Amino acid sequence: MQKIFISVASFVDPYLPFTVQNACESAKHPENLVFGVVDQAPDNRRKTLQALELSAEIRYIHIDPVESRGVCWARSLVQSLYQDEAYYLQIDSHTYFEKDWDIRLIEQLKSLNDMHAKPILSIYPYGFEFEEDRPVVKVRVGGLTTLVLRVKPNEALEEKNPVLHFRAEHQKIREPVLGFHLAGGFIFTFGQFVNEVPYDPRLYFHGEEQSLAVRAYTHGWDIFHPPEIPLYHLYKQPENAYTTHHWHKDWDQQRDYAWHELRASAVERLIKLLYQQQDLGAYGVGSERTLQQFAEFSGIDYLRQTMNFEHLPKTL
Protein backbone atom coordinates (compact mmCIF):
# COMPACT_ATOMS: atom_id res chain seq x y z
CA MET A 1 0.00 0.00 0.00
CA GLN A 2 1.34 3.44 -0.93
CA LYS A 3 1.68 6.39 1.42
CA ILE A 4 -1.09 8.86 2.28
CA PHE A 5 -0.01 12.44 2.97
CA ILE A 6 -2.45 13.99 5.47
CA SER A 7 -2.63 17.78 5.47
CA VAL A 8 -3.56 19.25 8.85
CA ALA A 9 -3.55 23.01 9.42
CA SER A 10 -4.42 23.56 13.07
CA PHE A 11 -5.21 26.90 14.74
CA VAL A 12 -5.16 26.88 18.56
CA ASP A 13 -6.99 23.57 18.42
CA PRO A 14 -6.91 21.37 21.54
CA TYR A 15 -8.10 18.39 19.47
CA LEU A 16 -5.05 18.19 17.21
CA PRO A 17 -3.42 15.30 19.18
CA PHE A 18 -6.77 13.49 19.30
CA THR A 19 -7.18 13.75 15.52
CA VAL A 20 -3.68 12.44 14.77
CA GLN A 21 -3.97 9.58 17.26
CA ASN A 22 -7.47 8.60 16.17
CA ALA A 23 -6.49 8.61 12.49
CA CYS A 24 -3.66 6.20 13.25
CA GLU A 25 -5.63 3.93 15.58
CA SER A 26 -8.51 3.68 13.10
CA ALA A 27 -6.41 3.11 9.98
CA LYS A 28 -5.84 -0.34 8.52
CA HIS A 29 -2.25 0.60 7.70
CA PRO A 30 -1.10 3.40 10.04
CA GLU A 31 2.51 2.80 9.00
CA ASN A 32 1.61 4.28 5.59
CA LEU A 33 0.35 7.58 6.99
CA VAL A 34 2.41 10.76 6.72
CA PHE A 35 1.10 13.79 8.60
CA GLY A 36 2.00 17.29 7.45
CA VAL A 37 1.09 19.49 10.41
CA VAL A 38 1.24 23.27 10.68
CA ASP A 39 0.38 23.92 14.31
CA GLN A 40 -0.57 27.55 14.94
CA ALA A 41 -0.58 27.44 18.73
CA PRO A 42 0.95 29.34 21.68
CA ASP A 43 3.06 26.33 22.66
CA ASN A 44 5.11 24.00 20.48
CA ARG A 45 3.44 20.58 20.59
CA ARG A 46 6.05 18.56 18.72
CA LYS A 47 6.90 16.52 21.84
CA THR A 48 3.19 16.00 22.56
CA LEU A 49 2.70 14.41 19.15
CA GLN A 50 5.93 12.42 19.43
CA ALA A 51 4.79 11.08 22.81
CA LEU A 52 1.83 9.41 21.11
CA GLU A 53 4.34 6.78 19.84
CA LEU A 54 2.50 6.19 16.61
CA SER A 55 3.84 4.25 13.65
CA ALA A 56 2.97 7.09 11.29
CA GLU A 57 5.45 9.77 10.21
CA ILE A 58 4.84 13.33 11.38
CA ARG A 59 6.34 16.40 9.70
CA TYR A 60 5.68 19.28 12.04
CA ILE A 61 5.93 23.08 11.84
CA HIS A 62 5.06 25.33 14.77
CA ILE A 63 3.80 28.88 14.17
CA ASP A 64 2.89 31.52 16.74
CA PRO A 65 -0.84 32.29 16.20
CA VAL A 66 -0.03 36.00 16.06
CA GLU A 67 2.16 35.39 13.01
CA SER A 68 -0.39 33.32 11.13
CA ARG A 69 -2.08 34.76 8.04
CA GLY A 70 -5.04 32.40 7.93
CA VAL A 71 -6.08 28.90 6.92
CA CYS A 72 -5.15 29.06 3.22
CA TRP A 73 -1.71 30.40 4.07
CA ALA A 74 -1.31 27.57 6.59
CA ARG A 75 -2.52 24.90 4.16
CA SER A 76 -0.10 26.20 1.56
CA LEU A 77 2.68 25.84 4.12
CA VAL A 78 1.56 22.29 4.90
CA GLN A 79 1.87 21.41 1.22
CA SER A 80 5.55 22.39 1.36
CA LEU A 81 5.97 19.24 3.49
CA TYR A 82 4.56 16.98 0.79
CA GLN A 83 7.15 14.60 -0.71
CA ASP A 84 5.42 12.82 -3.58
CA GLU A 85 3.27 10.50 -1.50
CA ALA A 86 0.74 8.55 -3.60
CA TYR A 87 -2.38 9.97 -1.98
CA TYR A 88 -3.40 13.31 -0.51
CA LEU A 89 -5.92 13.71 2.31
CA GLN A 90 -6.82 17.18 3.59
CA ILE A 91 -8.72 17.40 6.88
CA ASP A 92 -9.33 19.80 9.72
CA SER A 93 -7.60 19.29 13.06
CA HIS A 94 -10.84 18.17 14.75
CA THR A 95 -11.74 15.03 12.79
CA TYR A 96 -12.91 11.59 13.92
CA PHE A 97 -12.35 8.47 11.81
CA GLU A 98 -14.16 5.20 11.27
CA LYS A 99 -12.34 1.86 11.27
CA ASP A 100 -10.25 1.14 8.15
CA TRP A 101 -10.97 4.60 6.73
CA ASP A 102 -7.72 4.55 4.75
CA ILE A 103 -8.40 1.52 2.58
CA ARG A 104 -12.06 2.47 2.22
CA LEU A 105 -11.14 5.86 0.76
CA ILE A 106 -8.54 4.33 -1.54
CA GLU A 107 -11.05 1.77 -2.81
CA GLN A 108 -13.59 4.48 -3.60
CA LEU A 109 -11.00 6.59 -5.39
CA LYS A 110 -9.67 3.67 -7.42
CA SER A 111 -13.19 2.65 -8.45
CA LEU A 112 -13.51 6.04 -10.16
CA ASN A 113 -10.06 5.97 -11.69
CA ASP A 114 -11.05 3.56 -14.47
CA MET A 115 -13.30 6.21 -16.04
CA HIS A 116 -11.73 9.40 -14.67
CA ALA A 117 -7.99 10.02 -14.79
CA LYS A 118 -7.98 12.57 -11.98
CA PRO A 119 -10.83 12.02 -9.49
CA ILE A 120 -11.29 13.84 -6.17
CA LEU A 121 -13.47 12.73 -3.24
CA SER A 122 -14.88 15.62 -1.23
CA ILE A 123 -17.96 16.62 0.78
CA TYR A 124 -18.86 18.32 4.06
CA PRO A 125 -18.69 15.32 6.44
CA TYR A 126 -21.33 14.46 8.99
CA GLY A 127 -20.66 15.85 12.45
CA PHE A 128 -19.65 14.38 15.78
CA GLU A 129 -19.54 15.73 19.33
CA PHE A 130 -17.62 15.12 22.52
CA GLU A 131 -19.50 13.84 25.54
CA GLU A 132 -17.43 13.40 28.69
CA ASP A 133 -14.31 13.64 26.52
CA ARG A 134 -15.46 10.82 24.27
CA PRO A 135 -16.35 11.25 20.58
CA VAL A 136 -19.99 10.54 19.81
CA VAL A 137 -21.69 10.37 16.40
CA LYS A 138 -25.38 11.17 16.80
CA VAL A 139 -26.42 11.39 13.17
CA ARG A 140 -28.02 8.29 11.69
CA VAL A 141 -26.54 7.84 8.24
CA GLY A 142 -29.02 6.21 5.87
CA GLY A 143 -28.16 3.95 2.97
CA LEU A 144 -30.42 5.49 0.34
CA THR A 145 -28.88 8.89 -0.33
CA THR A 146 -25.59 10.64 -1.05
CA LEU A 147 -24.63 14.08 0.22
CA VAL A 148 -23.96 16.64 -2.51
CA LEU A 149 -22.82 20.26 -2.34
CA ARG A 150 -25.16 22.99 -3.54
CA VAL A 151 -25.21 26.77 -3.35
CA LYS A 152 -27.34 27.99 -0.45
CA PRO A 153 -30.69 29.59 -1.35
CA ASN A 154 -30.78 33.33 -2.06
CA GLU A 155 -27.07 33.52 -2.82
CA ALA A 156 -25.88 35.81 -5.63
CA LEU A 157 -22.65 36.74 -7.36
CA GLU A 158 -22.00 40.35 -6.46
CA GLU A 159 -19.99 42.66 -8.67
CA LYS A 160 -17.50 43.35 -5.91
CA ASN A 161 -17.64 39.98 -4.19
CA PRO A 162 -17.76 36.55 -5.90
CA VAL A 163 -17.96 34.60 -2.61
CA LEU A 164 -20.80 32.08 -2.43
CA HIS A 165 -21.86 29.90 0.48
CA PHE A 166 -22.64 26.20 0.04
CA ARG A 167 -24.37 23.48 2.00
CA ALA A 168 -24.65 19.69 1.87
CA GLU A 169 -27.97 18.26 0.66
CA HIS A 170 -29.22 14.70 0.22
CA GLN A 171 -29.68 13.33 -3.29
CA LYS A 172 -31.65 10.10 -3.66
CA ILE A 173 -28.88 8.05 -5.18
CA ARG A 174 -26.32 5.71 -3.63
CA GLU A 175 -23.25 6.13 -5.78
CA PRO A 176 -20.54 8.76 -6.29
CA VAL A 177 -22.08 11.98 -7.62
CA LEU A 178 -20.11 14.23 -9.97
CA GLY A 179 -19.88 17.67 -8.36
CA PHE A 180 -18.68 21.21 -9.00
CA HIS A 181 -17.67 22.19 -5.46
CA LEU A 182 -15.45 20.70 -2.77
CA ALA A 183 -14.95 20.92 0.98
CA GLY A 184 -11.70 22.20 2.43
CA GLY A 185 -12.16 19.99 5.50
CA PHE A 186 -12.25 16.76 3.51
CA ILE A 187 -10.38 16.21 0.26
CA PHE A 188 -9.02 12.84 -0.80
CA THR A 189 -7.26 12.34 -4.10
CA PHE A 190 -3.97 11.42 -5.74
CA GLY A 191 -0.85 13.18 -4.54
CA GLN A 192 -0.17 14.82 -7.90
CA PHE A 193 -3.04 17.19 -7.06
CA VAL A 194 -0.67 19.09 -4.76
CA ASN A 195 1.67 19.86 -7.65
CA GLU A 196 -1.03 20.70 -10.18
CA VAL A 197 -3.42 22.71 -7.98
CA PRO A 198 -1.38 24.11 -5.06
CA TYR A 199 -3.09 26.13 -2.34
CA ASP A 200 -3.14 29.88 -2.90
CA PRO A 201 -1.63 31.39 0.29
CA ARG A 202 -3.15 34.79 -0.47
CA LEU A 203 -6.70 33.60 0.09
CA TYR A 204 -8.15 33.83 3.58
CA PHE A 205 -11.29 31.81 4.43
CA HIS A 206 -14.53 32.32 2.47
CA GLY A 207 -13.96 31.68 -1.22
CA GLU A 208 -11.18 29.18 -0.55
CA GLU A 209 -13.27 26.24 -1.78
CA GLN A 210 -14.58 28.08 -4.85
CA SER A 211 -11.08 28.92 -5.98
CA LEU A 212 -9.88 25.37 -5.47
CA ALA A 213 -12.91 23.81 -7.19
CA VAL A 214 -12.63 26.01 -10.29
CA ARG A 215 -8.88 25.56 -10.54
CA ALA A 216 -9.21 21.78 -10.09
CA TYR A 217 -11.89 21.59 -12.80
CA THR A 218 -9.91 23.65 -15.30
CA HIS A 219 -6.84 21.47 -14.63
CA GLY A 220 -8.85 18.40 -15.61
CA TRP A 221 -9.79 17.09 -12.16
CA ASP A 222 -13.27 15.65 -11.51
CA ILE A 223 -14.86 16.19 -8.09
CA PHE A 224 -17.05 13.40 -6.71
CA HIS A 225 -19.25 13.38 -3.62
CA PRO A 226 -18.80 9.87 -2.17
CA PRO A 227 -21.71 7.83 -0.77
CA GLU A 228 -19.45 6.48 1.99
CA ILE A 229 -17.80 9.07 4.25
CA PRO A 230 -15.61 7.28 6.84
CA LEU A 231 -14.80 10.36 8.88
CA TYR A 232 -16.61 13.06 10.87
CA HIS A 233 -16.11 16.76 11.59
CA LEU A 234 -16.46 18.58 14.92
CA TYR A 235 -18.69 21.50 13.96
CA LYS A 236 -18.92 24.64 16.04
CA GLN A 237 -22.02 24.78 18.20
CA PRO A 238 -24.10 28.01 17.99
CA GLU A 239 -23.59 28.84 21.66
CA ASN A 240 -19.80 28.58 21.48
CA ALA A 241 -17.53 31.57 20.81
CA TYR A 242 -15.02 31.64 17.98
CA THR A 243 -12.08 31.58 20.38
CA THR A 244 -10.09 29.18 18.22
CA HIS A 245 -10.58 31.13 14.99
CA HIS A 246 -7.92 33.22 13.33
CA TRP A 247 -10.10 36.34 13.35
CA HIS A 248 -10.90 36.27 17.07
CA LYS A 249 -10.24 39.66 18.66
CA ASP A 250 -7.79 38.26 21.22
CA TRP A 251 -5.45 37.29 18.39
CA ASP A 252 -6.31 40.05 15.98
CA GLN A 253 -5.44 42.86 18.37
CA GLN A 254 -1.89 41.51 18.75
CA ARG A 255 -1.08 41.67 15.03
CA ASP A 256 0.22 44.51 12.91
CA TYR A 257 -2.64 43.97 10.47
CA ALA A 258 -6.36 43.29 10.86
CA TRP A 259 -8.05 40.09 9.73
CA HIS A 260 -10.54 42.02 7.61
CA GLU A 261 -7.62 43.37 5.59
CA LEU A 262 -6.71 39.80 4.68
CA ARG A 263 -10.34 39.09 3.83
CA ALA A 264 -10.54 42.13 1.55
CA SER A 265 -7.31 41.15 -0.17
CA ALA A 266 -8.65 37.62 -0.68
CA VAL A 267 -11.83 38.95 -2.31
CA GLU A 268 -9.73 40.96 -4.74
CA ARG A 269 -7.75 37.81 -5.46
CA LEU A 270 -10.97 35.93 -6.27
CA ILE A 271 -12.15 38.73 -8.55
CA LYS A 272 -8.92 38.48 -10.53
CA LEU A 273 -9.27 34.71 -10.79
CA LEU A 274 -13.00 34.26 -11.41
CA TYR A 275 -14.23 37.51 -12.96
CA GLN A 276 -11.20 38.89 -14.77
CA GLN A 277 -9.35 35.66 -15.66
CA GLN A 278 -6.03 37.26 -14.83
CA ASP A 279 -2.89 35.15 -15.01
CA LEU A 280 -2.12 34.14 -11.42
CA GLY A 281 0.60 31.70 -12.37
CA ALA A 282 0.50 28.47 -10.36
CA TYR A 283 -2.61 29.75 -8.58
CA GLY A 284 -4.60 30.49 -11.74
CA VAL A 285 -7.04 28.51 -13.86
CA GLY A 286 -5.79 25.54 -15.85
CA SER A 287 -5.66 24.96 -19.58
CA GLU A 288 -7.55 21.65 -19.87
CA ARG A 289 -11.00 23.22 -19.43
CA THR A 290 -12.32 26.79 -19.53
CA LEU A 291 -14.38 28.91 -17.17
CA GLN A 292 -17.12 28.83 -19.79
CA GLN A 293 -17.15 25.04 -19.63
CA PHE A 294 -17.33 25.27 -15.85
CA ALA A 295 -20.35 27.57 -16.19
CA GLU A 296 -22.13 25.11 -18.49
CA PHE A 297 -21.31 22.22 -16.15
CA SER A 298 -22.07 23.82 -12.79
CA GLY A 299 -24.55 26.60 -13.55
CA ILE A 300 -22.21 29.17 -11.97
CA ASP A 301 -21.15 31.65 -14.64
CA TYR A 302 -18.47 33.81 -13.08
CA LEU A 303 -17.77 35.69 -16.31
CA ARG A 304 -21.38 36.89 -16.59
CA GLN A 305 -21.92 36.86 -12.81
CA THR A 306 -25.09 34.78 -13.10
CA MET A 307 -26.29 31.39 -11.83
CA ASN A 308 -28.76 28.86 -13.22
CA PHE A 309 -29.22 25.43 -11.63
CA GLU A 310 -32.26 24.18 -13.55
CA HIS A 311 -30.18 21.45 -15.21
CA LEU A 312 -28.99 19.94 -11.92
CA PRO A 313 -30.64 16.84 -10.39
CA LYS A 314 -33.05 17.69 -7.60
CA THR A 315 -32.02 17.16 -3.99
CA LEU A 316 -34.28 16.11 -1.14
Side-chain angles (χ1 to χ4, degrees):
M1 181 176 172
Q2 296 170 302
K3 300 280 187 177
I4 301 175
F5 180 86
I6 305 176
S7 167
V8 186
S10 174
F11 188 85
V12 199
D13 191 342
Y15 298 114
L16 170 64
F18 163 83
T19 295
V20 173
Q21 183 170 17
N22 179 255
C24 292
E25 291 176 345
S26 303
K28 180 72 171 180
H29 297 286
E31 69 278 6
N32 289 323
L33 306 183
V34 178
F35 290 87
V37 178
V38 169
D39 188 13
Q40 304 150 95
D43 300 318
N44 188 312
R45 292 187 284 184
R46 184 188 305 275
K47 292 183 178 179
T48 299
L49 295 178
Q50 291 174 340
L52 298 176
E53 296 185 353
L54 306 173
S55 57
E57 179 183 350
I58 298 178
R59 302 168 189 161
Y60 179 89
I61 296 175
H62 174 252
I63 301 289
D64 189 307
V66 175
E67 306 303 328
S68 168
R69 299 189 70 84
V71 63
C72 295
W73 173 86
R75 283 177 171 159
S76 175
L77 187 56
V78 171
Q79 289 187 339
S80 71
L81 302 173
Y82 171 74
Q83 296 180 10
D84 296 322
E85 284 75 23
Y87 300 100
Y88 176 76
L89 172 64
Q90 181 172 292
I91 58 171
D92 287 327
S93 52
H94 31 272
T95 301
Y96 177 49
F97 294 83
E98 290 185 351
K99 182 177 175 56
D100 296 341
W101 63 267
D102 50 341
I103 58 173
R104 290 162 64 185
L105 285 178
I106 290 174
E107 287 172 356
Q108 289 191 85
L109 191 70
K110 285 186 173 180
S111 70
L112 294 167
N113 199 211
D114 291 338
M115 297 292 293
H116 301 269
K118 297 191 287 188
I120 299 170
L121 302 179
S122 186
I123 190 64
Y124 297 147
Y126 292 104
F128 80 99
E129 301 175 20
F130 278 100
E131 291 185 354
E132 298 180 352
D133 297 327
R134 298 188 63 182
V136 177
V137 177
K138 294 184 176 180
V139 64
R140 300 184 67 178
V141 180
L144 300 177
T145 63
T146 297
L147 284 180
V148 300
L149 295 178
R150 295 289 187 261
V151 177
K152 287 184 177 181
N154 303 318
E155 289 284 302
L157 292 170
E158 301 176 4
E159 181 180 358
K160 296 184 178 180
N161 190 353
V163 171
L164 298 170
H165 300 88
F166 291 73
R167 69 181 184 184
E169 300 178 357
H170 288 273
Q171 189 168 314
K172 198 168 184 179
I173 187 172
R174 195 61 181 171
E175 61 185 49
V177 177
L178 188 63
F180 55 86
H181 192 65
L182 47 68
F186 169 43
I187 296 172
F188 185 73
T189 187
F190 294 108
Q192 69 194 75
F193 179 76
V194 176
N195 297 323
E196 293 189 18
V197 193
Y199 246 81
D200 188 344
R202 292 175 61 182
L203 296 180
Y204 184 61
F205 186 73
H206 290 303
E208 161 196 0
E209 297 167 339
Q210 287 172 259
S211 168
L212 206 60
V214 168
R215 292 173 55 224
Y217 177 86
T218 58
H219 279 84
W221 293 82
D222 293 316
I223 301 167
F224 286 90
H225 306 313
E228 183 183 355
I229 313 167
L231 50 82
Y232 302 86
H233 183 274
L234 182 65
Y235 290 99
K236 175 190 171 294
Q237 298 302 309
E239 66 274 11
N240 295 340
Y242 285 91
T243 53
T244 59
H245 286 63
H246 184 273
W247 54 83
H248 191 270
K249 60 181 177 61
D250 289 350
W251 300 113
D252 202 46
Q253 65 188 6
Q254 298 182 59
R255 302 187 179 108
D256 55 4
Y257 58 88
W259 74 270
H260 60 80
E261 295 174 337
L262 295 178
R263 180 183 61 181
S265 177
V267 168
E268 288 298 318
R269 187 77 165 169
L270 286 172
I271 288 174
K272 293 177 181 178
L273 175 75
L274 301 175
Y275 287 176
Q276 301 174 355
Q277 296 189 81
Q278 290 191 23
D279 183 4
L280 302 182
Y283 308 115
V285 296
S287 58
E288 295 192 34
R289 295 168 179 157
T290 66
L291 278 179
Q292 181 57 41
Q293 288 175 295
F294 180 82
E296 295 168 358
F297 166 63
S298 69
I300 304 175
D301 192 331
Y302 288 110
L303 301 179
R304 293 181 175 84
Q305 299 175 29
T306 61
M307 295 188 293
N308 185 345
F309 303 121
E310 292 181 357
H311 68 293
L312 295 179
K314 300 298 182 183
T315 52
L316 301 181

